[in-house]
Amino acid sequence: MTASETAQNLSFVLEGIHKVKFEDRPIPALKTPYDVLVNVKYTGICGSDVHYWEHGSIGQFIVKDPMVLGHESAGVITQVGAAVTTLKVGDRVAMEPGVPCRRCEPCKAGKYNLCENMAFAATPPYDGTLAKYYNLPEDFCYKLPETLSLQEGALMEPLSVAVHIVRQARVAPGQSVVVFGAGPVGLLCCAVATAFGASKVIAVDIQQSRLDFAKEYATTSTFMPSKVAATENAERLRQENGLGAGADVAIDASGAEPSVHTGIHVLRNGGTYVQGGMGRSEIQFPIMAACAKELTLRGSFRYGSGDYKLAVELASTGKVDVKKLITGTVKFEEAENAFKEVKAGKGIKTLIAGIDV
């Protein structure tokens, strides 16, 4: 038998920049009677995971001790606490990887994604889900209907991010929506906006291959910006897509400063702008345009109440197809190489299979 077959809870651990290892850790015990133990079957690689591997930190979050990576996961329940009523052993679930304290003001106000004491998987100092087993409260596990595979279940995390962004934008039927960045979250924002009834959904990116995919996936049109002023790109975007005085909604899923500028300029008076992508901590901002147009500006961070539930609903009913985003699946033992492939920009969403898949 191989080491992975004899290990209790083999985990993919980040020790430092470009330094990872496989480590057998104890099987996590249930912390409360409301917890469940999940045998993780598939985990998607997120840009934040790659960033920690590449740089050892994201903003104020610094990897000081060895940390298990991964947070986009789905698996099968193997143990339930005495007070668990909604799940049973054998259930297939999508795993929401951030557990709030439930006691701070944001939590009590219904915005638990802004929890002051959030324990989020693969964000220092908390371990992630790239392990054989992971412990979660039952209400942060979402039972997958038969119409969804476990692979698709792993994409409920980025889909929930997109759901939250589009809900922040208050996208309504008949509206025009411009999405900057055609990576996984941007593509899913396009799909969710379409599901919400947007009549025009335009994806913007600087990579033609991503725009080609977006056009086939969930947009009415695409746009590649030129190396000109943001006002010029915004004007061409409006003209080529029949946006008249401007788009109703602009969503940035790239974090790139030129995209932020173009997004502000492409909006109509009274439009809505949502920042979902994370780039540099500080950028220049077209504040005069934002004020003169009386825009509604919102941030978007992770996901909150009802987002995961809606994500599962959209995917299971076929309103959003997440399967098309899955580029490929690699064995658990090939996790490091998969990180390198994602860093190189290959594919859209790569999944790492669990130990016993």
Side-chain angles (χ1 to χ4, degrees):
M1 297 179 71
T2 65
S4 62
E5 291 173 321
T6 58
Q8 288 188 85
N9 185 31
L10 195 64
S11 306
F12 185 60
V13 180
L14 176 68
E15 293 186 295
I17 295 174
H18 290 170
K19 188 178 181 182
V20 291
K21 68 176 180 179
F22 293 100
E23 180 181 299
D24 189 16
R25 294 190 167 194
I27 297 174
L30 301 185
K31 298 175 183 177
T32 78
Y34 298 95
D35 285 358
V36 299
L37 188 66
V38 185
N39 177 199
V40 183
K41 296 296 186 182
Y42 292 97
T43 300
I45 301 177
C46 174
S48 65
D49 294 316
V50 176
H51 200 280
Y52 279 121
W53 171 72
E54 184 80 5
H55 302 284
S57 65
I58 295 179
Q60 64 185 14
F61 299 104
I62 302 169
V63 179
K64 298 178 180 178
D65 299 303
M67 178 185 77
V68 178
L69 290 165
H71 63 271
E72 301 180 359
S73 295
V76 177
I77 303 292
T78 60
Q79 184 183 353
V80 299
V84 172
T85 59
T86 62
L87 296 170
K88 65 182 185 302
V89 172
D91 281 345
R92 304 174 315 124
V93 295
M95 302 158 59
E96 183 172 351
V99 180
C101 72
R102 308 177 194 259
R103 290 179 292 276
C104 67
E105 284 303 316
C107 281
K108 291 164 71 175
K111 293 185 176 292
Y112 71 79
N113 58 312
L114 305 181
C115 174
E116 298 167 1
N117 300 290
M118 174 70 76
F120 197 86
T123 296
Y126 303 103
D127 286 320
T129 58
L130 269 171
K132 186 172 183 178
Y133 295 105
Y134 194 80
N135 184 38
L136 275 174
E138 70 170 313
D139 54 323
F140 282 78
C141 291
Y142 300 82
K143 189 174 179 180
L144 295 174
E146 292 303 316
T147 52
L148 287 180
S149 66
L150 281 163
Q151 291 97 321
E152 291 168 298
L155 270 76
M156 292 306 98
E157 198 277 345
L159 178 54
S160 296
V161 172
V163 165
H164 191 72
I165 290 172
V166 176
R167 290 176 80 177
Q168 285 289 88
R170 308 287 196 271
V171 172
Q175 286 191 320
S176 55
V177 180
V178 181
V179 178
F180 293 84
V185 170
L187 290 167
L188 288 168
C189 283
C190 292
V192 175
T194 299
F196 278 27
S199 59
K200 289 184 179 180
V201 178
I202 304 147
V204 181
D205 204 284
I206 58 173
Q207 293 185 33
Q208 188 60 51
S209 61
R210 296 221 161 179
L211 292 178
D212 292 341
F213 184 91
K215 185 62 182 296
E216 295 297 321
Y217 181 60
T219 65
T220 53
S221 59
T222 61
F223 180 84
M224 180 179 287
S226 304
K227 293 183 178 180
V228 297
T231 51
E232 292 182 50
N233 276 319
E235 178 59 28
R236 182 164 66 89
L237 215 170
R238 283 194 294 266
Q239 290 181 358
E240 291 182 3
N241 294 280
L243 294 175
D248 297 305
V249 173
I251 291 169
D252 179 66
S254 72
E257 185 171 333
S259 294
V260 175
H261 289 199
T262 307
I264 294 296
H265 290 301
V266 81
L267 285 167
R268 62 168 173 80
N269 290 349
T272 298
Y273 177 88
V274 176
Q275 186 63 43
M278 292 187 179
R280 297 203 310 271
S281 58
E282 294 185 11
I283 63 170
Q284 290 187 323
F285 184 78
I287 192 169
M288 185 63 74
C291 290
K293 291 183 177 184
E294 201 168 286
L295 301 179
T296 297
L297 306 177
R298 289 194 175 99
S300 187
F301 187 59
R302 293 175 180 159
Y303 22 74
S305 181
D307 292 331
Y308 247 83
K309 181 180 178 181
L310 181 54
V312 172
E313 175 72 15
L314 290 172
S316 64
T317 56
K319 292 178 181 177
V320 173
D321 186 350
V322 296
K323 191 173 184 179
K324 286 183 179 178
L325 300 185
I326 301 173
T327 302
T329 302
V330 302
K331 295 179 180 179
F332 192 83
E333 292 82 358
E334 299 170 1
E336 183 175 8
N337 188 57
F339 269 66
K340 293 176 181 177
E341 297 276 296
V342 173
K343 170 62 180 174
K346 297 181 180 179
I348 295 175
K349 180 60 66 175
T350 298
L351 301 183
I352 298 173
I355 299 299
D356 46 6
V357 175

Short mmCIF file of all heavy atoms in Angstrom, two decimals, residues 292-346:
data_model
loop_
_atom_site.label_atom_id
_atom_site.label_comp_id
_atom_site.label_asym_id
_atom_site.label_seq_id
_atom_site.Cartn_x
_atom_site.Cartn_y
_atom_site.Cartn_z
N ALA A 292 -20.44 62.89 -10.41
CA ALA A 292 -21.30 63.59 -11.37
C ALA A 292 -22.42 62.70 -11.90
O ALA A 292 -23.52 63.17 -12.20
CB ALA A 292 -20.45 64.12 -12.53
N LYS A 293 -22.14 61.40 -12.02
CA LYS A 293 -23.17 60.46 -12.49
C LYS A 293 -24.06 59.97 -11.34
O LYS A 293 -25.05 59.27 -11.58
CB LYS A 293 -22.51 59.25 -13.14
CG LYS A 293 -21.81 59.52 -14.46
CD LYS A 293 -21.27 58.21 -15.03
CE LYS A 293 -20.62 58.41 -16.38
NZ LYS A 293 -20.17 57.13 -16.97
N GLU A 294 -23.71 60.33 -10.13
CA GLU A 294 -24.42 59.85 -8.93
C GLU A 294 -24.56 58.33 -8.97
O GLU A 294 -25.64 57.76 -8.87
CB GLU A 294 -25.80 60.52 -8.80
CG GLU A 294 -26.34 60.46 -7.38
CD GLU A 294 -27.55 61.35 -7.16
OE1 GLU A 294 -27.38 62.58 -7.09
OE2 GLU A 294 -28.68 60.79 -7.05
N LEU A 295 -23.41 57.67 -9.11
CA LEU A 295 -23.39 56.22 -9.18
C LEU A 295 -23.58 55.60 -7.81
O LEU A 295 -23.24 56.20 -6.78
CB LEU A 295 -22.04 55.74 -9.77
CG LEU A 295 -21.68 56.23 -11.16
CD1 LEU A 295 -20.32 55.67 -11.56
CD2 LEU A 295 -22.74 55.83 -12.19
N THR A 296 -24.10 54.40 -7.80
CA THR A 296 -24.12 53.58 -6.60
C THR A 296 -22.88 52.69 -6.65
O THR A 296 -22.71 51.92 -7.61
CB THR A 296 -25.38 52.71 -6.52
OG1 THR A 296 -26.52 53.56 -6.44
CG2 THR A 296 -25.34 51.79 -5.31
N LEU A 297 -22.01 52.81 -5.65
CA LEU A 297 -20.77 52.03 -5.61
C LEU A 297 -20.83 51.04 -4.46
O LEU A 297 -21.11 51.43 -3.32
CB LEU A 297 -19.56 52.96 -5.43
CG LEU A 297 -19.41 54.11 -6.41
CD1 LEU A 297 -18.20 54.96 -6.05
CD2 LEU A 297 -19.25 53.57 -7.83
N ARG A 298 -20.55 49.78 -4.75
CA ARG A 298 -20.57 48.76 -3.70
C ARG A 298 -19.34 47.86 -3.80
O ARG A 298 -18.87 47.56 -4.89
CB ARG A 298 -21.82 47.88 -3.80
CG ARG A 298 -23.13 48.57 -3.42
CD ARG A 298 -24.23 47.54 -3.22
NE ARG A 298 -25.44 48.17 -2.75
CZ ARG A 298 -26.48 48.50 -3.52
NH1 ARG A 298 -26.43 48.25 -4.81
NH2 ARG A 298 -27.55 49.07 -3.00
N GLY A 299 -18.89 47.42 -2.66
CA GLY A 299 -17.88 46.37 -2.62
C GLY A 299 -18.59 45.03 -2.55
O GLY A 299 -19.81 44.96 -2.36
N SER A 300 -17.83 43.96 -2.71
CA SER A 300 -18.40 42.62 -2.57
C SER A 300 -17.32 41.71 -2.02
O SER A 300 -16.22 41.64 -2.57
CB SER A 300 -18.90 42.09 -3.92
OG SER A 300 -19.59 40.87 -3.75
N PHE A 301 -17.63 40.99 -0.93
CA PHE A 301 -16.64 40.16 -0.25
C PHE A 301 -17.22 38.79 0.05
O PHE A 301 -18.19 38.65 0.80
CB PHE A 301 -16.20 40.84 1.04
CG PHE A 301 -15.06 40.16 1.74
CD1 PHE A 301 -13.84 39.98 1.10
CD2 PHE A 301 -15.20 39.71 3.04
CE1 PHE A 301 -12.78 39.36 1.75
CE2 PHE A 301 -14.13 39.10 3.69
CZ PHE A 301 -12.93 38.92 3.04
N ARG A 302 -16.65 37.79 -0.61
CA ARG A 302 -17.05 36.40 -0.41
C ARG A 302 -18.53 36.20 -0.67
O ARG A 302 -19.03 36.50 -1.74
CB ARG A 302 -16.62 35.91 0.98
CG ARG A 302 -15.12 35.82 1.14
CD ARG A 302 -14.70 35.45 2.56
NE ARG A 302 -13.26 35.36 2.68
CZ ARG A 302 -12.60 35.45 3.83
NH1 ARG A 302 -13.27 35.62 4.96
NH2 ARG A 302 -11.28 35.36 3.86
N TYR A 303 -19.28 35.69 0.33
CA TYR A 303 -20.69 35.36 0.17
C TYR A 303 -21.36 35.43 1.52
O TYR A 303 -20.73 35.29 2.58
CB TYR A 303 -20.87 33.95 -0.42
CG TYR A 303 -19.67 33.05 -0.21
CD1 TYR A 303 -19.38 32.52 1.04
CD2 TYR A 303 -18.78 32.80 -1.25
CE1 TYR A 303 -18.25 31.75 1.25
CE2 TYR A 303 -17.65 32.03 -1.05
CZ TYR A 303 -17.38 31.50 0.20
OH TYR A 303 -16.26 30.75 0.40
N GLY A 304 -22.66 35.66 1.48
CA GLY A 304 -23.41 35.81 2.73
C GLY A 304 -24.65 34.96 2.75
O GLY A 304 -24.79 33.98 2.00
N SER A 305 -25.60 35.37 3.55
CA SER A 305 -26.82 34.60 3.78
C SER A 305 -27.57 34.33 2.49
O SER A 305 -27.90 35.25 1.74
CB SER A 305 -27.72 35.36 4.76
OG SER A 305 -28.89 34.62 5.02
N GLY A 306 -27.81 33.07 2.21
CA GLY A 306 -28.60 32.66 1.05
C GLY A 306 -27.82 32.48 -0.23
O GLY A 306 -28.36 31.95 -1.21
N ASP A 307 -26.55 32.92 -0.27
CA ASP A 307 -25.79 32.86 -1.52
C ASP A 307 -25.47 31.43 -1.94
O ASP A 307 -25.62 31.06 -3.11
CB ASP A 307 -24.50 33.68 -1.41
CG ASP A 307 -24.77 35.17 -1.29
OD1 ASP A 307 -25.80 35.63 -1.82
OD2 ASP A 307 -23.96 35.88 -0.67
N TYR A 308 -25.01 30.62 -1.00
CA TYR A 308 -24.69 29.22 -1.33
C TYR A 308 -25.97 28.46 -1.73
O TYR A 308 -25.98 27.69 -2.69
CB TYR A 308 -24.02 28.51 -0.15
CG TYR A 308 -22.58 28.15 -0.39
CD1 TYR A 308 -21.57 29.09 -0.21
CD2 TYR A 308 -22.22 26.87 -0.80
CE1 TYR A 308 -20.24 28.75 -0.43
CE2 TYR A 308 -20.90 26.52 -1.02
CZ TYR A 308 -19.91 27.47 -0.83
OH TYR A 308 -18.60 27.14 -1.05
N LYS A 309 -27.03 28.71 -1.00
CA LYS A 309 -28.30 28.04 -1.31
C LYS A 309 -28.76 28.38 -2.71
O LYS A 309 -29.17 27.49 -3.48
CB LYS A 309 -29.37 28.47 -0.29
CG LYS A 309 -30.72 27.80 -0.50
CD LYS A 309 -31.72 28.26 0.54
CE LYS A 309 -33.09 27.63 0.31
NZ LYS A 309 -34.08 28.09 1.32
N LEU A 310 -28.67 29.67 -3.09
CA LEU A 310 -29.08 30.08 -4.43
C LEU A 310 -28.13 29.51 -5.48
O LEU A 310 -28.57 29.13 -6.58
CB LEU A 310 -29.12 31.61 -4.52
CG LEU A 310 -29.55 32.19 -5.87
CD1 LEU A 310 -30.89 31.62 -6.32
CD2 LEU A 310 -29.60 33.71 -5.78
N ALA A 311 -26.84 29.44 -5.17
CA ALA A 311 -25.87 28.88 -6.11
C ALA A 311 -26.23 27.43 -6.45
O ALA A 311 -26.24 27.04 -7.62
CB ALA A 311 -24.46 28.95 -5.52
N VAL A 312 -26.54 26.65 -5.43
CA VAL A 312 -26.92 25.25 -5.66
C VAL A 312 -28.19 25.18 -6.49
O VAL A 312 -28.32 24.35 -7.40
CB VAL A 312 -27.10 24.51 -4.31
CG1 VAL A 312 -27.68 23.11 -4.54
CG2 VAL A 312 -25.76 24.41 -3.58
N GLU A 313 -29.13 26.07 -6.21
CA GLU A 313 -30.39 26.10 -6.96
C GLU A 313 -30.15 26.44 -8.43
O GLU A 313 -30.70 25.79 -9.33
CB GLU A 313 -31.33 27.14 -6.33
CG GLU A 313 -32.63 27.36 -7.09
CD GLU A 313 -33.61 26.20 -6.99
OE1 GLU A 313 -33.42 25.32 -6.12
OE2 GLU A 313 -34.55 26.16 -7.80
N LEU A 314 -29.35 27.46 -8.69
CA LEU A 314 -29.08 27.88 -10.07
C LEU A 314 -28.38 26.77 -10.86
O LEU A 314 -28.69 26.53 -12.02
CB LEU A 314 -28.22 29.15 -10.08
CG LEU A 314 -28.89 30.44 -9.62
CD1 LEU A 314 -27.87 31.56 -9.50
CD2 LEU A 314 -30.02 30.84 -10.56
N ALA A 315 -27.43 26.11 -10.20
CA ALA A 315 -26.68 25.05 -10.88
C ALA A 315 -27.52 23.80 -11.09
O ALA A 315 -27.48 23.18 -12.16
CB ALA A 315 -25.42 24.72 -10.10
N SER A 316 -28.29 23.42 -10.08
CA SER A 316 -29.05 22.17 -10.16
C SER A 316 -30.21 22.26 -11.13
O SER A 316 -30.65 21.24 -11.67
CB SER A 316 -29.56 21.77 -8.77
OG SER A 316 -30.47 22.74 -8.27
N THR A 317 -30.70 23.47 -11.38
CA THR A 317 -31.82 23.64 -12.32
C THR A 317 -31.34 23.95 -13.73
O THR A 317 -32.16 24.15 -14.63
CB THR A 317 -32.75 24.76 -11.84
OG1 THR A 317 -32.00 25.98 -11.67
CG2 THR A 317 -33.42 24.40 -10.53
N GLY A 318 -30.02 24.02 -13.91
CA GLY A 318 -29.48 24.26 -15.24
C GLY A 318 -29.43 25.71 -15.66
O GLY A 318 -29.07 26.02 -16.81
N LYS A 319 -29.76 26.63 -14.76
CA LYS A 319 -29.73 28.04 -15.10
C LYS A 319 -28.30 28.57 -15.20
O LYS A 319 -28.03 29.54 -15.89
CB LYS A 319 -30.54 28.85 -14.08
CG LYS A 319 -32.03 28.55 -14.15
CD LYS A 319 -32.80 29.32 -13.10
CE LYS A 319 -34.29 28.98 -13.17
NZ LYS A 319 -35.06 29.65 -12.10
N VAL A 320 -27.39 27.92 -14.47
CA VAL A 320 -25.96 28.22 -14.57
C VAL A 320 -25.22 26.90 -14.74
O VAL A 320 -25.37 25.99 -13.93
CB VAL A 320 -25.43 28.96 -13.32
CG1 VAL A 320 -23.91 29.09 -13.38
CG2 VAL A 320 -26.07 30.33 -13.19
N ASP A 321 -24.44 26.79 -15.80
CA ASP A 321 -23.69 25.57 -16.08
C ASP A 321 -22.25 25.74 -15.58
O ASP A 321 -21.47 26.47 -16.17
CB ASP A 321 -23.69 25.30 -17.59
CG ASP A 321 -23.03 23.96 -17.95
OD1 ASP A 321 -22.41 23.34 -17.06
OD2 ASP A 321 -23.13 23.56 -19.11
N VAL A 322 -21.93 25.09 -14.46
CA VAL A 322 -20.57 25.19 -13.93
C VAL A 322 -19.65 24.11 -14.50
O VAL A 322 -18.43 24.24 -14.46
CB VAL A 322 -20.56 25.11 -12.38
CG1 VAL A 322 -21.30 26.29 -11.77
CG2 VAL A 322 -21.15 23.78 -11.89
N LYS A 323 -20.25 23.06 -15.03
CA LYS A 323 -19.44 21.94 -15.55
C LYS A 323 -18.53 22.39 -16.69
O LYS A 323 -17.40 21.90 -16.83
CB LYS A 323 -20.36 20.82 -16.02
CG LYS A 323 -19.64 19.51 -16.32
CD LYS A 323 -20.63 18.39 -16.61
CE LYS A 323 -19.91 17.07 -16.83
NZ LYS A 323 -20.88 15.96 -17.08
N LYS A 324 -19.01 23.34 -17.51
CA LYS A 324 -18.22 23.81 -18.64
C LYS A 324 -16.91 24.49 -18.21
O LYS A 324 -15.98 24.59 -19.01
CB LYS A 324 -19.04 24.78 -19.49
CG LYS A 324 -20.13 24.11 -20.32
CD LYS A 324 -20.84 25.14 -21.18
CE LYS A 324 -21.92 24.49 -22.04
NZ LYS A 324 -22.64 25.49 -22.85
N LEU A 325 -16.88 24.96 -16.98
CA LEU A 325 -15.68 25.67 -16.51
C LEU A 325 -14.57 24.73 -16.06
O LEU A 325 -13.42 25.15 -15.90
CB LEU A 325 -16.03 26.60 -15.34
CG LEU A 325 -17.07 27.69 -15.59
CD1 LEU A 325 -17.19 28.58 -14.37
CD2 LEU A 325 -16.71 28.52 -16.81
N ILE A 326 -14.90 23.46 -15.85
CA ILE A 326 -13.91 22.51 -15.34
C ILE A 326 -12.98 22.09 -16.47
O ILE A 326 -13.38 21.39 -17.40
CB ILE A 326 -14.59 21.28 -14.72
CG1 ILE A 326 -15.51 21.70 -13.57
CG2 ILE A 326 -13.54 20.29 -14.23
CD1 ILE A 326 -16.35 20.58 -12.99
N THR A 327 -11.74 22.53 -16.39
CA THR A 327 -10.75 22.23 -17.42
C THR A 327 -10.23 20.80 -17.30
O THR A 327 -10.00 20.12 -18.29
CB THR A 327 -9.56 23.21 -17.31
OG1 THR A 327 -10.07 24.54 -17.43
CG2 THR A 327 -8.54 22.96 -18.41
N GLY A 328 -10.03 20.38 -16.06
CA GLY A 328 -9.51 19.03 -15.84
C GLY A 328 -9.42 18.72 -14.37
O GLY A 328 -9.58 19.59 -13.50
N THR A 329 -9.15 17.45 -14.06
CA THR A 329 -9.01 16.97 -12.69
C THR A 329 -7.69 16.23 -12.55
O THR A 329 -7.33 15.44 -13.42
CB THR A 329 -10.17 16.03 -12.32
OG1 THR A 329 -11.41 16.72 -12.48
CG2 THR A 329 -10.05 15.57 -10.88
N VAL A 330 -6.97 16.52 -11.47
CA VAL A 330 -5.69 15.85 -11.22
C VAL A 330 -5.77 15.06 -9.92
O VAL A 330 -6.61 15.33 -9.07
CB VAL A 330 -4.53 16.86 -11.14
CG1 VAL A 330 -4.42 17.67 -12.42
CG2 VAL A 330 -4.68 17.79 -9.95
N LYS A 331 -4.88 14.09 -9.79
CA LYS A 331 -4.82 13.31 -8.56
C LYS A 331 -4.29 14.16 -7.42
O LYS A 331 -3.56 15.13 -7.63
CB LYS A 331 -3.92 12.09 -8.76
CG LYS A 331 -4.44 11.09 -9.78
CD LYS A 331 -3.46 9.93 -9.92
CE LYS A 331 -3.96 8.90 -10.93
NZ LYS A 331 -3.00 7.78 -11.09
N PHE A 332 -4.65 13.77 -6.21
CA PHE A 332 -4.22 14.51 -5.02
C PHE A 332 -2.70 14.64 -4.97
O PHE A 332 -2.16 15.70 -4.63
CB PHE A 332 -4.73 13.79 -3.76
CG PHE A 332 -4.59 14.61 -2.50
CD1 PHE A 332 -5.55 15.56 -2.17
CD2 PHE A 332 -3.51 14.43 -1.64
CE1 PHE A 332 -5.43 16.30 -1.00
CE2 PHE A 332 -3.38 15.18 -0.49
CZ PHE A 332 -4.35 16.12 -0.16
N GLU A 333 -2.01 13.57 -5.35
CA GLU A 333 -0.54 13.57 -5.29
C GLU A 333 0.08 14.53 -6.29
O GLU A 333 1.27 14.86 -6.19
CB GLU A 333 -0.01 12.15 -5.54
CG GLU A 333 -0.34 11.14 -4.44
CD GLU A 333 -1.76 10.57 -4.57
OE1 GLU A 333 -2.50 10.98 -5.50
OE2 GLU A 333 -2.13 9.73 -3.73
N GLU A 334 -0.70 15.01 -7.26
CA GLU A 334 -0.19 15.93 -8.28
C GLU A 334 -0.58 17.38 -8.00
O GLU A 334 -0.54 18.24 -8.88
CB GLU A 334 -0.72 15.52 -9.66
CG GLU A 334 -0.28 14.12 -10.08
CD GLU A 334 -1.00 13.63 -11.32
OE1 GLU A 334 -1.84 14.40 -11.86
OE2 GLU A 334 -0.74 12.49 -11.75
N ALA A 335 -0.94 17.66 -6.75
CA ALA A 335 -1.46 18.98 -6.39
C ALA A 335 -0.47 20.10 -6.69
O ALA A 335 -0.85 21.15 -7.22
CB ALA A 335 -1.85 19.01 -4.91
N GLU A 336 0.80 19.89 -6.36
CA GLU A 336 1.77 20.97 -6.57
C GLU A 336 1.91 21.30 -8.05
O GLU A 336 1.96 22.49 -8.43
CB GLU A 336 3.14 20.58 -6.01
CG GLU A 336 4.16 21.72 -6.14
CD GLU A 336 5.49 21.40 -5.48
OE1 GLU A 336 5.71 20.25 -5.04
OE2 GLU A 336 6.33 22.32 -5.39
N ASN A 337 1.94 20.30 -8.90
CA ASN A 337 2.04 20.55 -10.33
C ASN A 337 0.81 21.28 -10.84
O ASN A 337 0.91 22.15 -11.73
CB ASN A 337 2.22 19.23 -11.09
CG ASN A 337 2.51 19.46 -12.56
OD1 ASN A 337 3.48 20.13 -12.91
ND2 ASN A 337 1.67 18.92 -13.42
N ALA A 338 -0.35 20.95 -10.27
CA ALA A 338 -1.58 21.64 -10.66
C ALA A 338 -1.50 23.12 -10.32
O ALA A 338 -1.97 23.97 -11.09
CB ALA A 338 -2.78 20.99 -9.96
N PHE A 339 -0.90 23.45 -9.19
CA PHE A 339 -0.73 24.85 -8.81
C PHE A 339 0.15 25.57 -9.83
O PHE A 339 -0.12 26.72 -10.20
CB PHE A 339 -0.11 24.95 -7.41
CG PHE A 339 -1.13 25.03 -6.31
CD1 PHE A 339 -1.95 23.95 -6.02
CD2 PHE A 339 -1.27 26.18 -5.55
CE1 PHE A 339 -2.91 24.01 -5.01
CE2 PHE A 339 -2.21 26.26 -4.54
CZ PHE A 339 -3.04 25.18 -4.26
N LYS A 340 1.18 24.90 -10.28
CA LYS A 340 2.07 25.50 -11.28
C LYS A 340 1.33 25.76 -12.59
O LYS A 340 1.54 26.78 -13.24
CB LYS A 340 3.27 24.58 -11.52
CG LYS A 340 4.20 24.44 -10.32
CD LYS A 340 5.32 23.44 -10.60
CE LYS A 340 6.23 23.29 -9.38
NZ LYS A 340 7.29 22.26 -9.61
N GLU A 341 0.46 24.82 -12.97
CA GLU A 341 -0.30 24.97 -14.21
C GLU A 341 -1.26 26.16 -14.12
O GLU A 341 -1.40 26.93 -15.07
CB GLU A 341 -1.09 23.68 -14.49
CG GLU A 341 -0.22 22.46 -14.72
CD GLU A 341 0.25 22.35 -16.16
OE1 GLU A 341 -0.58 22.20 -17.05
OE2 GLU A 341 1.49 22.43 -16.36
N VAL A 342 -1.92 26.28 -12.96
CA VAL A 342 -2.85 27.39 -12.78
C VAL A 342 -2.10 28.72 -12.76
O VAL A 342 -2.54 29.70 -13.36
CB VAL A 342 -3.65 27.21 -11.47
CG1 VAL A 342 -4.50 28.46 -11.18
CG2 VAL A 342 -4.55 25.99 -11.57
N LYS A 343 -0.94 28.73 -12.11
CA LYS A 343 -0.13 29.94 -12.08
C LYS A 343 0.27 30.36 -13.49
O LYS A 343 0.34 31.56 -13.82
CB LYS A 343 1.13 29.70 -11.23
CG LYS A 343 2.18 30.80 -11.30
CD LYS A 343 1.65 32.13 -10.80
CE LYS A 343 2.71 33.22 -10.89
NZ LYS A 343 2.18 34.55 -10.53
N ALA A 344 0.49 29.39 -14.36
CA ALA A 344 0.88 29.66 -15.75
C ALA A 344 -0.30 30.08 -16.61
O ALA A 344 -0.14 30.36 -17.80
CB ALA A 344 1.54 28.43 -16.35
N GLY A 345 -1.49 30.13 -16.02
CA GLY A 345 -2.66 30.58 -16.74
C GLY A 345 -3.33 29.53 -17.60
O GLY A 345 -4.11 29.86 -18.49
N LYS A 346 -3.03 28.27 -17.33
CA LYS A 346 -3.61 27.20 -18.15
C LYS A 346 -4.99 26.81 -17.63
O LYS A 346 -5.18 26.59 -16.44
CB LYS A 346 -2.68 25.98 -18.15
CG LYS A 346 -1.32 26.26 -18.78
CD LYS A 346 -0.45 25.03 -18.79
CE LYS A 346 0.92 25.31 -19.43
NZ LYS A 346 1.79 24.11 -19.44
#
